[in-house]
Amino acid sequence: MDLHSVNPWEVSFLREEVGGYFAHGVELAPGATVLDVGANVGVFSAAVYERLGGDVRIYAFEPLPPLYEKLESNGRDFFAGQLKALPFGLAAGEDELDFSYFPGATIFSSSWRDEGNVEAERKRVTASIVEMIRRGGMGPAARRVPAPILRGLVGRQLKVMRDLETHRVRVRPLSPVLDEEGIDRVDLLKVDVEGAEFEVLRGIEDRHWPLVRQAVVEVERWTENRDRVREVFATRGFTVEAVQDPVQRAADIGMVFALR
């Protein structure tokens, strides 16, 4: 799919990432129902759709208006009616939140980033990208560039994170959405919400947890949040794996995989 996007480079970047969600036993069969929480323009949704040959029902959540506009267009143009774009985020309760939106790097947009911490966040992201390059993520030639030079080059590119807009957006708990949409099973719950993942999980009522068969959650501030995200699933009967590779370690993030 040649997806509509705000920045085409982000689609290429995310396409390289999405394969990592289908690991540690995560599998999907035709006819699955998938929730893409933190959808951006729908790259993960596109990967699911392509894997299952279009035999899937996807609910994609994106609260930021510039991204939702692209997501909705992609759903209309490329998913043959199998993707429903929802113009709000998920949280523990009904609310309106200020989200920082980075037009030059939309994938870092978050309710947890603002002018007070954006410089620290930029340094963290820089460290992660440098580590990715040093491990061959952009080919052997880039790998040979000395680390101090790489940090300078990547840091300059990420100056786009200094250009931010604030959007007031709606967030909702997942349980009433499941009721409203008539969703009776969730074959995969994917959560990538740049720091708000625990709040998303808090929005699932006990009566709805049996509907969830698999989940993959990207966890930010790994050391601080890994165990409590893992515990959410472990106490509800899932087999849980919490994993972190060297690139993720540089960014203080990791992945939690939960299977029935």
Side-chain angles (χ1 to χ4, degrees), residues 54 72 89 101 103 108 154 189 192 195 210 217 221 231 255:
E72 195 276 333
Y101 172 68
F108 302 122
V154 174
L189 170 65
D192 181 359
V217 182
R221 303 188 303 282
E231 187 72 9
M255 304 290 289

Side-chain angles (χ1 to χ4, degrees), residues 22 25-34 48-58 82 185-188 213-214:
F22 301 99
V26 171
E27 295 180 350
L28 286 174
T33 298
V34 175
V48 169
Y49 184 87
E50 291 163 352
R51 277 172 175 262
L52 298 182
D55 188 5
V56 61
R57 183 60 175 160
I58 303 170
Q82 297 304 107
R185 74 178 192 278
V186 178
D187 295 294
L188 179 59
R213 309 309 306 165
Q214 303 176 107

Side-chain angles (χ1 to χ4, degrees), residues 44-238:
F44 176 80
S45 293
V48 169
Y49 184 87
E50 291 163 352
R51 277 172 175 262
L52 298 182
D55 188 5
V56 61
R57 183 60 175 160
I58 303 170
Y59 296 85
F61 299 80
E62 179 49 58
L64 283 161
L67 294 174
Y68 173 77
E69 178 187 354
K70 301 297 183 183
L71 175 65
E72 195 276 333
S73 295
N74 286 328
R76 182 178 62 248
D77 292 346
F78 302 118
F79 286 82
Q82 297 304 107
L83 181 146
K84 182 168 185 176
L86 297 161
F88 49 84
L90 295 182
E94 292 275 356
D95 205 351
E96 288 189 351
L97 300 176
D98 288 332
F99 270 63
S100 292
Y101 172 68
F102 303 96
T106 70
I107 55 177
F108 302 122
S109 301
S110 171
S111 63
W112 292 81
R113 296 189 178 109
D114 55 33
E115 291 180 349
N117 64 18
V118 69
E119 279 304 306
E121 288 290 280
R122 189 171 67 87
K123 290 177 182 177
R124 182 178 65 82
V125 173
T126 297
S128 172
I129 294 174
V130 168
E131 184 65 23
M132 177 193 72
I133 294 171
R134 292 182 66 233
R135 292 179 176 273
M138 291 183 65
R143 188 176 185 178
R144 291 192 291 269
V145 177
I149 295 175
L150 276 179
R151 282 193 293 271
L153 292 171
V154 174
R156 280 197 291 274
Q157 292 297 317
L158 287 178
K159 285 182 179 178
V160 294
M161 289 182 69
R162 293 174 178 168
D163 177 20
L164 66 86
E165 303 170 2
T166 300
H167 291 259
R168 190 76 170 171
V169 304
R170 185 187 185 192
V171 294
R172 305 184 63 197
L174 179 55
S175 276
V177 179
L178 296 176
D179 289 337
E180 291 166 13
E181 299 294 337
I183 299 171
D184 59 4
R185 74 178 192 278
V186 178
D187 295 294
L188 179 59
L189 170 65
K190 168 264 185 184
V191 181
D192 181 359
V193 289
E194 303 299 314
E197 46 278 348
F198 186 66
E199 295 301 302
V200 171
L201 300 177
R202 287 181 59 210
I204 305 174
E205 297 173 16
D206 288 342
R207 64 191 176 95
H208 283 132
W209 274 108
L211 305 184
V212 181
R213 309 309 306 165
Q214 303 176 107
V216 183
V217 182
E218 182 180 283
V219 179
E220 297 226 359
R221 303 188 303 282
W222 180 250
T223 305
E224 176 186 345
N225 293 323
R226 172 195 60 205
D227 289 342
R228 64 175 183 165
V229 170
R230 182 167 52 187
E231 187 72 9
V232 167
F233 292 102
T235 57
R236 290 173 171 86
F238 290 83

